Amino acid sequence: MLAQALALRWDEQEFTEVRPGIFGATIDSEQLTVTVYRYEPSCAWETHEHPEDQVTFIAQGGTVDFVVDGRPTPLGPGQLAVIPGGVPHSATVAANGERVVSINVWRLRGR
């Protein structure tokens, strides 16, 4: 956990493959979790949900095809989605798409 303010470069973090073609680097504070994801073309994150609210900001690259609560929600650079906890969502990048870098922030409800 972080005890003080910290400035990092996302491209200098250690990324691990969390799904085929999706790599993440995570930082936790007492109240938040922040993950920078790198989505490669042809990757997919299956439909899932979690109790935490989620904010996803597309920092660079192409388009991520999100489906949020059954609705197509494509996001490109400069766009963000706010997904309440418990809402099913998925994400894919087309085979002919560009690499995408997103910043995801979660906060447990009640914190």
Side-chain angles (χ1 to χ4, degrees):
M1 278 196 208
L2 298 176
Q4 58 187 345
L6 181 63
L8 302 169
R9 290 184 51 91
W10 74 264
D11 56 351
E12 294 175 351
Q13 302 310 301
E14 184 174 329
F15 284 78
T16 57
E17 194 166 24
V18 295
R19 298 285 188 282
I22 303 173
F23 300 83
T26 298
I27 305 268
D28 290 304
S29 75
E30 188 174 315
Q31 297 182 22
L32 298 173
T33 295
V34 178
T35 301
V36 176
Y37 284 114
R38 199 176 66 227
Y39 292 86
E40 299 295 336
S42 297
C43 72
W45 199 303
E46 73 280 357
T47 301
H48 65 285
E49 60 185 74
H50 36 74
E52 302 89 1
D53 293 349
Q54 172 181 322
V55 175
T56 297
F57 174 75
I58 306 303
Q60 64 179 223
T63 299
V64 175
D65 292 314
F66 278 97
V67 176
V68 179
D69 205 17
R71 292 185 310 261
T73 310
L75 294 178
Q79 294 183 299
L80 73 98
V82 178
I83 304 170
V87 172
H89 54 284
S90 63
T92 60
V93 173
N96 62 349
E98 293 178 54
R99 170 188 281 173
V100 174
V101 175
S102 75
I103 300 168
N104 289 36
V105 179
W106 295 273
R107 181 174 180 221
L108 287 174
R109 290 183 181 194
R111 277 193 177 172

